[in-house]
Amino acid sequence: TIQQLQATTSTSIQIDQEGSEFADAKKVTVRGSAENVAIAKAQIKQVLEEAVMPGEGEVEERVSCPSTLVGRIIGRGGETIRSLQGGSGAHILVDQNYPEGADSRVVVIKGRPDSVQRAKAMVK
């Protein structure tokens, strides 16, 4: 999504992966012309709003996954998670907010109920 936003708005978008005083907040830096930055900010806001509120008929499930297996779900360069999303039709996100040394991570799966069930089966 970030690459798509950068391409469509002719901007550079960087997300600060360092911790924040707010657990769910990340600093986003958008560079480009003032007009393109404004367009990118509006599109980022829309993406975030859609991510927070599942669409009509959509569900969200959270699945616990051992930390040692998260890399297998994501895959090299995100290849596996993209394949899982394509095969299931659901959006899959590995929650990046976790305590250091945690034994498990949360995998968030969103989409139509049948897509979410298919994704859960593929992830497990």
Side-chain angles (χ1 to χ4, degrees), residues 44-124:
I44 291 168
K45 184 177 178 182
Q46 180 180 357
V47 167
L48 291 173
E49 287 171 354
E50 289 171 1
V52 170
M53 297 175 48
E56 190 171 318
E58 290 188 344
V59 296
E60 174 181 310
E61 292 208 24
R62 295 174 175 266
V63 178
S64 181
C65 174
S67 296
T68 56
L69 298 180
V70 168
R72 289 174 129 177
I73 292 172
I74 297 171
R76 175 171 272 149
E79 182 178 326
T80 305
I81 200 164
R82 282 193 299 274
S83 175
L84 290 168
Q85 290 178 124
S88 68
H91 180 73
I92 304 169
L93 175 73
V94 178
D95 189 352
Q96 298 298 319
N97 297 316
Y98 60 95
E100 191 172 322
D103 293 335
S104 66
R105 302 270 296 274
V106 175
V107 178
V108 181
I109 305 172
K110 297 180 188 178
R112 293 185 329 269
D114 60 317
S115 297
V116 170
Q117 291 305 316
R118 198 168 26 255
K120 278 178 57 178
M122 293 168 81
V123 167
K124 289 185 177 189

Side-chain angles (χ1 to χ4, degrees), residues 13-49:
I13 301 171
Q14 293 181 323
I15 299 175
D16 185 4
Q17 297 300 325
E18 293 299 314
S20 169
E21 61 185 82
F22 304 104
D24 294 338
K26 300 277 186 194
K27 178 181 173 186
V28 178
T29 304
V30 182
R31 290 191 174 91
S33 71
E35 182 180 342
N36 288 347
V37 167
I39 293 168
K41 284 173 63 176
Q43 290 184 9
I44 291 168
K45 184 177 178 182
Q46 180 180 357
V47 167
L48 291 173
E49 287 171 354

